[in-house]
Amino acid sequence: MDIAAFLTSAGINIGLCVVLFSLYSILRKQPSNRVVYFGRRLASVRIRNDDFFSIERFVPSPSWIVKAWETTEEEILSIGGLDALAFQRMLIFSIRIFSIAAIICVLLVLPMNYYGKEMQHKRIPAESLDVFTIGNVKEGSRWLWAHCLALYVISFGACVLLYFEYKSITEMRLAHVIKSPLNPSHFTILVRSIPWSPGESYSDSVKKFFTNYYPSSYLSHQMVYQRGIIQKLMVDAEKMCKMIIPVHIDGRSLRPCCLCARNTTSFKMLSSEPESVKDSVSYADLDIATRENECSAAFVFFKTRYAAVVATQMLQSSNPMLWVTELAPEPHDVFWSNLSIPYRQLWLRKIAILLAAIVFMFLFLIPVTFVQGLTQLDKLSKTFPFLRGLLKKDFMSHVVTGYLPSVILMLFLYTVPPMMMLFSSVEGHVSRSGRKRSAGLKILYFTIWNVFFVNVLSGSIISQLNVFSSVRDIPMELAKAIPIQASFFMTYVLTSGWASLACEVMQLFPLSINMFKKFILRNQEDSSDDLISFPYHTEVPRVLLFGLIGFTCSIMAPLILPFLLIHFFMAYLVYRNQILNVYIPKYEGGGHFWPIFHNTTIFSLVLTQIIAIGVFGIKESPIASSFTFPLVICTLLFNEYCRQRFSPVFQKDVVEVLMDMDRRDEQSGRMSEIYQQLHSAYCQIPITSHEFCESAQERHRNKIQDPQGINPGTELSEASETWAVVNFGKESPTTKN
């Protein structure tokens, strides 16, 4: 690929970003789009809907960028939780390390690559991107010391930054546990694979077992029940209650009639139901809490946090497949549908999902190989002779080789997250955060394999398999291929990086759904079902993939670094804006994605160093290769130290912290209050449909006020926002995961 083709791709992506960012700054001011662009804020505050025309609503403005830049880490922590803050620190680390890499590689390595061979250089637009890579350095050149020095600086800087970030995140995690409000999961364990005893229910077996072996610390338990047809009907009934409850403001209803597009109050709740009838509705009436519907799983509550931790660290039976215990997830984090899966099936499910993921990964070689064929114009003309005339035009050839391959690959990659989330659900994870973390790891492995390795080692599927049949050849093959494929990765950063961020801030799919509902179905009510949580399982792998590309190309093709650095700056602002305004934190994951980030970054560094050894060997520089070997060993030793020093804090609870919290609660007399809250924390069906409708109707009788005299039609900001009346209630919002 030449410079002109790359500039064509850059121009298209830059133009697309400018258009989408401008549209976003206009659409976010429109009252009908508030639930799309300000879902988190609308969920926390219910205020008046003032919708009248203002010119300012149709003028693009960068105020959202300023607000995102001025937000502090304390605000991010209070709004999005520790997961959001850890994600922001990932972006900050990437900005810092690639700023160092860009300075040293662009100023030192890039000139030596460009003048590495004695040759007649063309004009810059006509130059091939290959002249800016290490492939342009002649064999035995003394200039390779610059590449080795740059590699040392990047590796040392990355390790230092990783150490301080890991230490900071670990301290924040411990501080967050201490300062956070009551977390029922600290007192609760999940017991699975409860053995069946003839003549008694699972509930009786649990009570008998823990009363016998944990008499002083056992408090109570709650069984998990099958999710039958009755529970599904109750969920549907709750949704119907939300739909038919009228919301009156100044004597008018906000729900339009679907036929005449006018406001109506046709639906009304009957509140004259006898109290005795309402009180008689219970689990027993719904035929849910019966012995036949009990699962072999239960939540067991203990009197102290320490007792719960101790119970999970021991085998409860001589048969390890019975009475399996683990710390319970947070109540909002429980993935109820998987609790009924028999424990003995889990290992079979994991093996089946592993095989399915591998098959899907290899099937994805077909589109990746096709995409790589588009980057080679001569082969494309031979394969498709009818395209020769079209490809002779400069602009079309630049679009096909510079822009189209990365776009096609990105479109195919959109199918990966739903598939991996489905795989993780079938695996049997009992928490939503665990399911997301598992899906994130699968997406990470998938993208590293298909986007990086398969694209680098491009060619036919058979030749790719032959490359990996000899492990010794991997460093050499990567060393040969990365400089050649550097141009593709540069366009991929522009397309999957810059353009994807513009699409992220636009929220194209939620925006389309919202417009269809508002303007086609004529449904003007905003619902809590429209709210979404942060997609860590897709965004963390994306950041790590770009980090891998940045590290491996830093000394091989340093021209990619400025574009990568711009991407991380944009991501820093865009995701801050999304955390502040759009995404709802339904549960606290405790920053568990940070160890994944750390380990993958170390992998990227070691892979870069191994590839550098292969490059120095190809370029006949044994001194540079010898100096790189100690760097690999030191990086691995640093990773082992971090694994011993920081990683256990993310895997286990700290007894010292939990016991201090227990003593503090006992001294303050809060234990009795905590015990009462535990009994209702893990309710599989917390309320009946009658109770739900009554409580929902009561909420809507409250007067909706306009806080601080907000002026309509203005940009949503810290003091002056454009809001809508949203039927969310004051309970924890329901989000999509």
Coordinates of all heavy atoms in Angstrom, one line a residue, residues 319-374:
N319 N -16.8 -36.1 49.4 CA -17.1 -36.1 47.9 C -17.0 -34.6 47.4 O -17.9 -33.9 47.7 CB -18.4 -36.7 47.6 CG -18.6 -36.8 46.1 OD1 -17.8 -36.4 45.3 ND2 -19.7 -37.5 45.7
P320 N -16.0 -34.3 46.7 CA -15.8 -32.8 46.3 C -16.9 -32.4 45.4 O -17.1 -31.2 45.1 CB -14.5 -32.8 45.6 CG -13.7 -34.0 46.1 CD -14.8 -35.0 46.3
M321 N -17.7 -33.3 44.8 CA -18.8 -32.9 43.9 C -20.1 -32.7 44.6 O -21.1 -32.3 44.0 CB -19.0 -34.1 42.9 CG -17.8 -34.3 42.0 SD -17.5 -33.0 40.8 CE -18.9 -33.1 39.7
L322 N -20.1 -32.8 46.0 CA -21.3 -32.5 46.7 C -21.0 -31.3 47.7 O -19.9 -31.1 48.1 CB -21.7 -33.7 47.6 CG -22.1 -35.0 46.8 CD1 -22.4 -36.1 47.7 CD2 -23.3 -34.7 45.9
W323 N -22.0 -30.6 48.0 CA -21.9 -29.4 48.9 C -20.8 -28.5 48.4 O -19.9 -28.1 49.2 CB -21.7 -29.8 50.3 CG -22.8 -30.6 50.9 CD1 -22.8 -32.0 51.1 CD2 -24.1 -30.1 51.4 NE1 -24.0 -32.4 51.7 CE2 -24.8 -31.2 51.9 CE3 -24.7 -28.9 51.5 CZ2 -26.1 -31.1 52.4 CZ3 -25.9 -28.7 52.0 CH2 -26.7 -29.8 52.5
V324 N -20.9 -28.1 47.2 CA -19.9 -27.2 46.6 C -20.2 -25.8 47.0 O -21.4 -25.3 46.8 CB -19.8 -27.3 45.1 CG1 -18.8 -26.4 44.5 CG2 -19.5 -28.7 44.7
T325 N -19.3 -25.0 47.6 CA -19.5 -23.7 48.1 C -18.7 -22.7 47.4 O -17.5 -22.9 47.0 CB -19.3 -23.6 49.6 OG1 -17.9 -24.0 49.9 CG2 -20.2 -24.5 50.4
E326 N -19.2 -21.5 47.2 CA -18.4 -20.3 46.7 C -19.1 -19.1 47.3 O -20.3 -19.1 47.7 CB -18.4 -20.3 45.2 CG -19.8 -20.2 44.6 CD -19.7 -20.2 43.1 OE1 -19.2 -19.2 42.5 OE2 -20.2 -21.2 42.5
L327 N -18.4 -18.0 47.3 CA -19.0 -16.7 47.7 C -20.1 -16.3 46.8 O -19.9 -16.3 45.5 CB -17.9 -15.6 47.8 CG -17.0 -15.7 49.0 CD1 -15.9 -14.6 48.9 CD2 -17.7 -15.5 50.3
A328 N -21.2 -15.9 47.3 CA -22.3 -15.5 46.5 C -22.0 -14.2 45.8 O -21.4 -13.3 46.3 CB -23.6 -15.4 47.3
P329 N -22.5 -14.0 44.5 CA -22.4 -12.7 43.9 C -23.4 -11.7 44.5 O -24.2 -12.1 45.3 CB -22.8 -13.0 42.4 CG -23.6 -14.2 42.5 CD -23.1 -15.0 43.7
E330 N -23.2 -10.4 44.1 CA -24.2 -9.4 44.6 C -25.6 -9.8 44.2 O -25.8 -10.4 43.1 CB -23.8 -8.0 44.1 CG -22.5 -7.5 44.7 CD -22.2 -6.1 44.2 OE1 -23.1 -5.5 43.6 OE2 -21.1 -5.6 44.5
P331 N -26.6 -9.3 44.9 CA -28.0 -9.7 44.5 C -28.3 -9.3 43.1 O -29.0 -10.0 42.4 CB -28.8 -8.9 45.5 CG -27.9 -8.8 46.8 CD -26.6 -8.7 46.2
H332 N -27.9 -8.1 42.7 CA -28.2 -7.7 41.3 C -27.3 -8.3 40.3 O -27.6 -8.2 39.1 CB -28.0 -6.1 41.2 CG -29.1 -5.4 42.0 ND1 -30.4 -5.3 41.6 CD2 -28.9 -4.6 43.1 CE1 -31.0 -4.6 42.5 NE2 -30.2 -4.1 43.4
D333 N -26.3 -9.0 40.8 CA -25.3 -9.7 39.9 C -25.7 -11.1 39.6 O -25.1 -11.8 38.8 CB -23.9 -9.6 40.5 CG -22.8 -9.9 39.5 OD1 -23.1 -10.0 38.3 OD2 -21.7 -10.2 39.9
V334 N -26.7 -11.7 40.3 CA -27.0 -13.1 40.2 C -27.7 -13.4 38.8 O -28.6 -12.7 38.4 CB -28.0 -13.5 41.3 CG1 -28.4 -15.0 41.1 CG2 -27.3 -13.3 42.7
F335 N -27.2 -14.4 38.2 CA -27.8 -14.9 36.9 C -28.6 -16.0 37.2 O -28.2 -17.2 37.2 CB -26.6 -15.2 35.9 CG -27.1 -15.4 34.5 CD1 -27.9 -14.5 33.9 CD2 -26.6 -16.4 33.7 CE1 -28.3 -14.6 32.6 CE2 -27.0 -16.5 32.4 CZ -27.9 -15.6 31.9
W336 N -29.9 -15.8 37.6 CA -30.8 -16.7 38.2 C -31.0 -18.0 37.3 O -31.1 -19.1 37.8 CB -32.1 -16.1 38.5 CG -32.1 -15.1 39.6 CD1 -32.0 -13.7 39.5 CD2 -32.0 -15.4 41.0 NE1 -32.0 -13.2 40.7 CE2 -32.0 -14.2 41.7 CE3 -32.1 -16.6 41.7 CZ2 -31.9 -14.1 43.1 CZ3 -32.0 -16.5 43.1 CH2 -32.0 -15.3 43.8
S337 N -31.1 -17.8 36.0 CA -31.4 -18.9 35.1 C -30.4 -20.0 35.1 O -30.7 -21.2 34.8 CB -31.6 -18.4 33.7 OG -30.5 -17.8 33.2
N338 N -29.1 -19.7 35.5 CA -28.1 -20.7 35.5 C -27.9 -21.4 36.9 O -27.2 -22.4 37.0 CB -26.7 -20.1 35.2 CG -26.5 -19.9 33.7 OD1 -27.4 -20.3 32.9 ND2 -25.4 -19.3 33.3
L339 N -28.6 -20.9 37.9 CA -28.5 -21.6 39.2 C -29.1 -22.9 39.2 O -28.8 -23.8 40.1 CB -29.2 -20.7 40.3 CG -28.4 -19.4 40.6 CD1 -29.2 -18.6 41.7 CD2 -27.0 -19.7 41.1
S340 N -30.1 -23.2 38.3 CA -30.8 -24.5 38.3 C -30.0 -25.5 37.5 O -30.4 -26.7 37.4 CB -32.2 -24.3 37.7 OG -32.1 -23.8 36.4
I341 N -28.9 -25.1 36.9 CA -28.1 -26.1 36.1 C -27.4 -27.1 37.1 O -26.7 -26.6 38.0 CB -27.0 -25.4 35.3 CG1 -27.7 -24.5 34.2 CG2 -26.1 -26.4 34.5 CD1 -26.8 -23.7 33.4
P342 N -27.6 -28.4 36.9 CA -26.9 -29.3 37.8 C -25.4 -29.1 37.8 O -24.8 -28.9 36.7 CB -27.2 -30.7 37.2 CG -28.5 -30.4 36.5 CD -28.4 -29.1 35.9
Y343 N -24.7 -29.1 38.9 CA -23.3 -28.9 39.0 C -22.5 -29.9 38.3 O -21.4 -29.5 37.7 CB -22.9 -28.9 40.5 CG -21.5 -28.5 40.7 CD1 -21.0 -27.2 40.7 CD2 -20.5 -29.5 41.0 CE1 -19.7 -26.9 40.9 CE2 -19.2 -29.2 41.2 CZ -18.8 -27.9 41.1 OH -17.5 -27.6 41.3
R344 N -23.0 -31.1 38.2 CA -22.2 -32.1 37.5 C -22.1 -31.9 36.0 O -21.3 -32.5 35.3 CB -22.8 -33.5 37.7 CG -22.8 -33.9 39.2 CD -23.5 -35.2 39.4 NE -23.5 -35.6 40.8 CZ -22.6 -36.3 41.4 NH1 -21.6 -36.8 40.7 NH2 -22.7 -36.7 42.7
Q345 N -23.0 -31.0 35.4 CA -23.0 -30.7 34.0 C -21.9 -29.7 33.6 O -21.6 -29.5 32.4 CB -24.3 -30.3 33.5 CG -25.4 -31.3 33.5 CD -26.7 -30.8 33.0 OE1 -26.7 -29.7 32.4 NE2 -27.8 -31.5 33.1
L346 N -21.4 -28.9 34.6 CA -20.6 -27.7 34.3 C -19.4 -28.1 33.5 O -19.0 -27.4 32.5 CB -20.3 -27.0 35.6 CG -21.5 -26.4 36.3 CD1 -21.0 -25.6 37.5 CD2 -22.3 -25.4 35.4
W347 N -18.7 -29.1 33.9 CA -17.4 -29.4 33.2 C -17.7 -29.9 31.8 O -16.9 -29.6 30.9 CB -16.6 -30.5 34.0 CG -17.2 -31.8 34.0 CD1 -18.2 -32.3 34.9 CD2 -16.9 -32.9 33.2 NE1 -18.5 -33.6 34.6 CE2 -17.7 -34.0 33.6 CE3 -16.0 -33.1 32.2 CZ2 -17.6 -35.3 33.0 CZ3 -15.9 -34.4 31.5 CH2 -16.7 -35.4 31.9
L348 N -18.8 -30.6 31.6 CA -19.1 -31.0 30.2 C -19.5 -29.8 29.4 O -19.1 -29.7 28.2 CB -20.3 -32.0 30.3 CG -20.0 -33.4 30.8 CD1 -21.3 -34.2 31.0 CD2 -19.0 -34.1 30.0
R349 N -20.2 -28.9 30.0 CA -20.6 -27.6 29.2 C -19.3 -26.8 28.8 O -19.2 -26.3 27.7 CB -21.5 -26.8 30.1 CG -22.9 -27.3 30.2 CD -23.7 -26.5 31.2 NE -25.1 -26.9 31.3 CZ -26.1 -26.2 30.7 NH1 -25.8 -25.1 30.1 NH2 -27.3 -26.6 30.8
K350 N -18.4 -26.7 29.7 CA -17.1 -26.0 29.5 C -16.4 -26.6 28.3 O -15.8 -25.9 27.5 CB -16.3 -25.9 30.7 CG -16.9 -25.0 31.8 CD -16.0 -24.9 33.0 CE -16.6 -24.0 34.1 NZ -15.8 -23.9 35.3
I351 N -16.3 -28.0 28.3 CA -15.6 -28.6 27.2 C -16.3 -28.4 25.9 O -15.7 -28.1 24.9 CB -15.4 -30.1 27.5 CG1 -14.5 -30.4 28.7 CG2 -14.9 -30.9 26.3 CD1 -14.4 -31.8 29.2
A352 N -17.6 -28.5 25.9 CA -18.4 -28.3 24.7 C -18.2 -26.9 24.2 O -18.1 -26.7 23.0 CB -19.9 -28.7 24.9
I353 N -18.3 -25.9 25.1 CA -18.1 -24.5 24.6 C -16.7 -24.3 24.1 O -16.5 -23.5 23.2 CB -18.5 -23.6 25.8 CG1 -20.0 -23.7 26.1 CG2 -18.1 -22.2 25.5 CD1 -20.9 -23.4 25.0
L354 N -15.7 -24.9 24.7 CA -14.4 -24.7 24.2 C -14.2 -25.2 22.8 O -13.6 -24.5 22.0 CB -13.4 -25.4 25.2 CG -11.9 -25.4 24.8 CD1 -11.4 -24.0 24.7 CD2 -11.1 -26.3 25.7
L355 N -14.8 -26.4 22.6 CA -14.7 -26.9 21.2 C -15.5 -26.1 20.2 O -15.1 -25.8 19.1 CB -15.3 -28.4 21.2 CG -14.5 -29.4 22.0 CD1 -15.2 -30.7 22.0 CD2 -13.1 -29.5 21.4
A356 N -16.7 -25.6 20.6 CA -17.5 -24.7 19.8 C -16.8 -23.4 19.5 O -16.8 -22.9 18.3 CB -18.8 -24.4 20.4
A357 N -16.1 -22.8 20.5 CA -15.3 -21.6 20.3 C -14.2 -21.8 19.3 O -13.9 -20.9 18.5 CB -14.9 -21.0 21.6
I358 N -13.5 -22.9 19.4 CA -12.4 -23.2 18.5 C -12.9 -23.4 17.1 O -12.3 -22.8 16.1 CB -11.6 -24.5 19.0 CG1 -10.9 -24.2 20.3 CG2 -10.6 -24.9 18.0 CD1 -10.3 -25.4 20.9
V359 N -14.0 -24.1 16.9 CA -14.6 -24.3 15.6 C -14.9 -22.9 15.0 O -14.7 -22.6 13.8 CB -15.8 -25.2 15.6 CG1 -16.5 -25.2 14.3 CG2 -15.3 -26.6 16.0
F360 N -15.6 -22.1 15.8 CA -16.0 -20.7 15.3 C -14.8 -19.9 15.0 O -14.8 -19.1 14.0 CB -16.8 -20.1 16.4 CG -17.3 -18.7 16.0 CD1 -18.2 -18.5 15.0 CD2 -16.9 -17.6 16.7 CE1 -18.7 -17.3 14.6 CE2 -17.4 -16.3 16.4 CZ -18.2 -16.2 15.3
M361 N -13.7 -20.0 15.8 CA -12.5 -19.3 15.5 C -11.9 -19.7 14.2 O -11.4 -18.8 13.4 CB -11.5 -19.5 16.7 CG -10.3 -18.6 16.6 SD -9.2 -18.9 18.0 CE -10.3 -18.4 19.4
F362 N -11.9 -21.0 13.9 CA -11.3 -21.4 12.6 C -12.2 -21.1 11.4 O -11.7 -20.8 10.3 CB -10.9 -22.9 12.7 CG -9.6 -23.2 13.3 CD1 -9.6 -23.5 14.7 CD2 -8.4 -23.1 12.6 CE1 -8.3 -23.7 15.3 CE2 -7.2 -23.4 13.2 CZ -7.2 -23.7 14.6
L363 N -13.5 -21.1 11.6 CA -14.4 -20.8 10.5 C -14.2 -19.3 10.2 O -14.5 -18.9 9.0 CB -15.9 -21.0 11.0 CG -16.3 -22.5 11.0 CD1 -17.7 -22.6 11.5 CD2 -16.2 -23.1 9.6
F364 N -13.8 -18.5 11.1 CA -13.6 -17.1 10.9 C -12.4 -16.8 10.0 O -12.2 -15.7 9.5 CB -13.5 -16.3 12.2 CG -13.9 -14.9 12.1 CD1 -15.3 -14.6 12.2 CD2 -13.0 -13.8 12.0 CE1 -15.7 -13.3 12.2 CE2 -13.5 -12.5 11.9 CZ -14.8 -12.3 12.0
L365 N -11.6 -17.8 9.8 CA -10.4 -17.7 8.9 C -10.9 -17.4 7.4 O -10.2 -16.7 6.7 CB -9.6 -19.0 8.8 CG -8.8 -19.3 10.1 CD1 -8.2 -20.7 9.9 CD2 -7.8 -18.3 10.3
I366 N -12.1 -17.8 7.1 CA -12.6 -17.6 5.7 C -12.7 -16.1 5.4 O -12.1 -15.6 4.4 CB -13.9 -18.3 5.5 CG1 -13.6 -19.8 5.6 CG2 -14.4 -18.0 4.1 CD1 -14.9 -20.7 5.6
P367 N -13.5 -15.3 6.2 CA -13.6 -13.9 5.9 C -12.2 -13.1 6.1 O -12.0 -12.2 5.3 CB -14.6 -13.4 6.9 CG -14.7 -14.4 7.9 CD -14.4 -15.7 7.3
V368 N -11.4 -13.6 7.0 CA -10.1 -12.9 7.2 C -9.2 -13.1 6.0 O -8.6 -12.2 5.6 CB -9.5 -13.4 8.5 CG1 -8.1 -12.9 8.6 CG2 -10.3 -13.0 9.7
T369 N -9.2 -14.3 5.5 CA -8.4 -14.6 4.3 C -8.9 -13.8 3.1 O -8.1 -13.2 2.3 CB -8.4 -16.1 4.0 OG1 -8.0 -16.8 5.1 CG2 -7.5 -16.4 2.8
F370 N -10.2 -13.7 3.0 CA -10.8 -12.9 1.9 C -10.4 -11.4 2.0 O -10.0 -10.7 1.1 CB -12.3 -13.0 1.9 CG -13.0 -12.0 1.0 CD1 -13.0 -12.2 -0.4 CD2 -13.7 -10.9 1.5 CE1 -13.6 -11.3 -1.2 CE2 -14.3 -10.0 0.7 CZ -14.3 -10.2 -0.7
V371 N -10.4 -10.9 3.3 CA -10.0 -9.5 3.5 C -8.6 -9.3 3.2 O -8.2 -8.2 2.5 CB -10.3 -9.1 5.0 CG1 -9.6 -7.8 5.4 CG2 -11.8 -9.0 5.3
Q372 N -7.7 -10.2 3.5 CA -6.3 -10.0 3.2 C -6.1 -10.1 1.7 O -5.2 -9.4 1.1 CB -5.5 -11.1 3.9 CG -5.2 -10.8 5.3 CD -4.5 -9.4 5.5 OE1 -3.5 -9.1 4.8 NE2 -5.0 -8.6 6.3
G373 N -6.9 -10.8 0.9 CA -6.8 -10.8 -0.5 C -7.1 -9.5 -1.1 O -6.5 -9.1 -2.2
L374 N -8.0 -8.6 -0.5 CA -8.2 -7.3 -1.0 C -7.1 -6.4 -0.9 O -7.0 -5.4 -1.7 CB -9.4 -6.7 -0.3 CG -10.8 -7.4 -0.4 CD1 -11.9 -6.7 0.4 CD2 -11.2 -7.4 -1.9

